[in-house]
Amino acid sequence: QVQLVQSGAAVKKPGASVKVSCKVSGYPLIELSIHWVRQAPGKGLEWMGGFDPENSETIYAQRFRGRVTMSEDTTTDTAYMELRSLRSADTAVYYCAAVREGYLQLDYWGQGTLVTVSS
Amino acid sequence: EIVMTQSPATLSVSPGERATLSCRASQSVSSNLAWFQQKPGQAPRLLIYGASTRATGIPARFSGSGSGTEFTLTISSLQSEDFATYYCQQYHHWPKTFGQGTKVEIK
């Protein structure tokens, strides 16, 4: 069974960066496409970006381009999402989610990581 | 970007009753639509993909229908554990956008 375990909560100051990790077990990371979704307090789900296996590239939502980097370390089966120039509006729970090879839907989700941006 | 619009925002239903949730896409997404259930403090859970295929372990009381721009999630007889927020997501086009959610609450 695929499991995604994320790093713990973080508190950051405005202007800082945060890097959230997502450790995959039960399935090789190279056979998954990892996406990142965030949820501000009391709000809905917002897709941030994800890996496109057809073109072997990561696609980012327009509003995050230039400020976010999604990466992977296949030697440790860990995915990362780094968000820079944090502002209070970035306070949210950040989720990693996985699409299995040959499929298109987000089958598996991490438990979420709360990132709080506060001075 | 495809805009996904869910209705209603809140649905009040009594246990045992049927619930019907709608999701509309601003342009065709074929059948590349998923439904997720989310309870407070939990990660979303995949219910339906391909517009109508139940994910592994999802009870038969959950069903999805539609294609193109109009989709429906039906819960045939609401159980206490079904009171939650439901989101649709299209994965036909990049970016893979979500609807704003429908909260199903106890009447």
Side-chain angles (χ1 to χ4, degrees):
Chain A
Q1 180 70 310
V2 181
Q3 284 197 312
L4 283 64
V5 179
Q6 298 182 223
S7 48
V11 179
K12 298 291 181 180
K13 294 195 182 301
S17 299
V18 69
K19 193 169 187 177
V20 180
S21 67
C22 174
K23 169 73 173 175
V24 177
S25 62
Y27 214 91
L29 179 57
I30 59 171
E31 294 181 17
L32 298 172
S33 296
I34 299 297
H35 294 239
W36 292 86
V37 175
R38 78 176 186 180
Q39 186 170 39
K43 303 296 184 182
L45 301 173
E46 180 176 26
W47 183 85
M48 298 179 66
F51 185 72
D52 177 7
E54 283 193 22
N55 297 295
S56 296
E57 63 177 338
T58 299
I59 308 292
Y60 300 115
Q62 174 71 39
R63 62 179 297 180
F64 298 106
R65 278 179 211 157
R67 211 161 63 93
V68 69
T69 301
M70 297 171 188
S71 59
E72 296 178 355
D73 182 347
T74 54
T75 65
T76 60
D77 282 337
T78 303
Y80 300 92
M81 187 282 299
E82 181 181 33
L83 188 61
R84 299 176 291 277
S85 301
L86 290 168
R87 38 228 190 206
S88 58
D90 293 318
T91 294
V93 176
Y94 290 78
Y95 295 100
C96 59
V99 178
R100 288 175 291 157
E101 191 173 35
Y103 293 84
L104 298 173
Q105 71 279 2
L106 297 173
D107 278 316
Y108 303 100
W109 291 69
Q111 83 277 17
T113 296
L114 175 61
V115 175
T116 303
V117 182
S118 173
S119 55
Chain B
E1 170 176 319
I2 296 179
V3 177
M4 305 301 291
T5 303
Q6 292 186 240
S7 60
T10 304
L11 187 61
S12 298
V13 185
S14 299
E17 289 189 341
R18 182 187 195 91
T20 302
L21 289 66
S22 296
C23 175
R24 174 177 291 178
S26 60
Q27 60 184 276
S28 177
V29 298
S30 187
S31 293
N32 293 316
L33 182 109
W35 289 95
F36 297 90
Q37 177 193 67
Q38 188 181 35
K39 299 179 181 178
Q42 296 185 16
R45 172 195 182 197
L46 178 67
L47 295 177
I48 301 284
Y49 64 95
S52 61
T53 303
R54 278 189 302 277
T56 302
I58 301 304
R61 64 181 181 272
F62 292 92
S63 63
S65 64
S67 66
T69 62
E70 300 283 344
F71 301 90
T72 300
L73 174 69
T74 301
I75 311 171
S76 60
S77 176
L78 271 157
Q79 306 299 300
S80 58
E81 61 267 30
D82 301 335
F83 292 97
T85 300
Y86 294 82
Y87 295 93
C88 61
Q89 186 208 20
Q90 66 81 20
Y91 49 88
H92 191 65
H93 297 284
W94 298 87
K96 299 182 184 291
T97 43
F98 288 92
Q100 80 278 20
T102 291
K103 182 178 181 180
V104 177
E105 63 176 26
I106 300 175
K107 187 174 183 180

